[in-house]
Amino acid sequence: MLAIFNSAERQAATLRVALIGKKLTGLAIDESVAISPKLGSVVEEVRVFGREIEIIFDDLVVLRTKLQFRGMWRIFRVGDWHKRSRDQAKVVLEVEDRIAACFKVVEIETHHDFDPRRHPLLGRHGPDLTDSKTDLELCVDLMLGYQDADATIAEVLLDQRVMRGIGNVFRCELLWTCELHPWAKVSSLNRDECRELVTIAAEMLQSQHATRDRSLAVYGRHGKNCDRCNGQIRVTHHGEANRVLYWCADCQTRHAGTSSSRYVTEHDTPPGVHPAEFIYLSELERTRKSG
Ligand SMILES: [Zn+2]
């Protein structure tokens, strides 16, 4: 066993290092839940509220565990994982090289994350880019007519009212493929550029079965070198949910000049630091300031 931690914050920090950016390869939940995380989905965030820990997947399924006094998450290396632990665990999440298991948890719940930009009830859905018959021109019109002129391309790609099918991992990869600065204003793109972006997105999403396991160009590659320009991949976290965004500042320069004021370099994870650790330290800092 790698670690036993008592405080929920510490458990969450350990879970982040072990799970964020990795694909779910195995799952067992010892209770019936409303929605099950899907195998192949990627762990995007781990949040903590008191003794509750939430694990958020890139399709926005949230797994919430209420730990109360005795509940705890533990991380195992694959070779250290035994049947006895499996029998006692209430939740088991397997990724490539680690197994996260939760014991003595009192309540397990799953739901879809509530993000107003991505929530279907707050507006009409945009076209589904995973559907080959979808209307891409409508998507282009919705981008060109986007009401918030200061909104960034990175934000609009996740706005379900404009287009559907793009998760956070895919968003990072798409921005890199198109060499777009993530914080460029959506209003700086002309019709041809919007069309190019949604066409490439649709092609990539619709061929995802063939490319499910293709290696990622930027996501999870913080501090590594960019395959295109040899620059260093950076990661920044932003928004209330601390969603991470990986990108190459050296070659993702299209429309960089229009970069929105929402791009703040202080949210960049410094080289050599794990983004999960940086988020944890930033949260501690904020807690100290507010306390
Ligand atoms: Zn690059």
Side-chain angles (χ1 to χ4, degrees):
M1 195 195 317
L2 289 180
I4 305 175
F5 288 121
N6 292 322
S7 90
E9 283 82 9
R10 280 191 167 275
Q11 291 182 48
T14 314
L15 284 168
R16 285 179 185 132
V17 173
L19 301 179
I20 284 182
K22 293 186 190 160
K23 270 185 201 167
L24 191 65
T25 55
L27 168 79
I29 299 181
D30 182 31
E31 214 169 278
S32 66
V33 286
I35 327 156
S36 212
K38 286 192 188 66
L39 295 186
S41 58
V42 175
V43 178
E44 198 175 275
E45 301 159 33
V46 176
R47 298 183 201 142
V48 57
F49 307 97
R51 293 286 295 163
E52 282 183 25
I53 291 183
E54 288 186 351
I55 296 170
I56 297 95
F57 296 85
D58 65 339
D59 53 2
L60 289 193
V61 169
V62 179
L63 170 68
R64 177 186 292 159
T65 48
K66 275 193 192 169
L67 299 175
Q68 295 293 15
F69 300 109
R70 295 168 67 219
M72 71 168 74
W73 278 95
R74 293 179 182 178
I75 308 293
F76 297 83
R77 287 197 188 89
V78 174
D80 297 342
W81 180 237
H82 300 297
K83 190 178 176 299
R84 197 158 60 93
S85 309
R86 183 180 294 272
D87 291 345
Q88 289 171 354
K90 304 291 183 202
V91 183
V92 180
L93 302 177
E94 295 181 34
V95 296
E96 56 197 62
D97 54 348
R98 293 284 184 271
I99 290 166
C102 192
F103 300 92
K104 299 187 174 108
V105 57
V106 293
E107 216 171 288
I108 304 164
E109 247 177 49
T110 56
H111 64 272
H112 275 286
D113 200 10
F114 186 87
D115 179 338
R117 286 174 186 278
R118 299 171 79 169
H119 201 278
L121 298 178
L122 297 183
R124 216 167 67 104
H125 263 152
D128 180 355
L129 298 184
T130 63
D131 179 355
S132 61
K133 296 190 199 78
T134 208
D135 182 358
L136 295 182
E137 281 307 305
L138 172 58
C139 204
V140 171
D141 289 339
L142 290 166
M143 285 181 83
L144 289 169
Y146 203 77
Q147 292 201 334
D148 178 358
D150 201 37
T152 66
I153 297 174
E155 291 171 313
V156 172
L157 289 178
L158 291 188
D159 190 333
Q160 301 288 287
R161 298 166 301 178
V162 177
M163 62 191 95
R164 284 179 293 152
I166 298 185
N168 193 32
V169 177
F170 184 76
R171 168 175 73 158
C172 299
E173 297 297 306
L174 178 66
L175 288 167
W176 181 84
T177 301
C178 297
E179 300 179 27
L180 280 164
H181 193 286
W183 282 266
K185 286 182 189 169
V186 69
S187 52
S188 70
L189 270 64
N190 65 30
R191 178 167 281 276
D192 286 345
E193 289 168 324
C194 289
R195 187 182 292 124
E196 184 195 6
L197 184 63
V198 297
T199 304
I200 290 173
E203 280 170 4
M204 285 170 75
L205 282 169
Q206 288 166 28
S207 63
Q208 227 182 9
H209 289 301
T211 57
R212 184 109 196 131
D213 294 315
R214 76 181 188 290
S215 58
L216 299 171
V218 283
Y219 196 91
R221 298 194 65 235
H222 172 49
K224 302 220 169 76
N225 286 30
C226 170
D227 289 340
R228 186 163 53 207
C229 76
N230 214 36
Q232 200 178 56
I233 308 289
R234 293 157 60 166
V235 59
T236 187
H237 59 101
H238 64 104
E240 284 176 21
N242 264 333
R243 191 150 273 136
V244 290
L245 201 141
Y246 292 88
W247 64 301
C248 175
D250 292 331
C251 65
Q252 288 183 236
T253 52
R254 284 177 65 197
H255 295 282
T258 69
S259 181
S260 162
S261 58
R262 291 175 197 171
Y263 171 47
V264 187
T265 49
E266 72 189 38
H267 291 162
D268 255 24
T269 304
V273 179
H274 191 287
E277 187 188 342
F278 182 67
I279 292 171
Y280 174 61
L281 294 174
S282 308
E283 278 171 3
L284 271 187
E285 184 88 351
R286 270 203 301 279
T287 313
R288 268 195 218 116
K289 277 181 187 158
S290 62

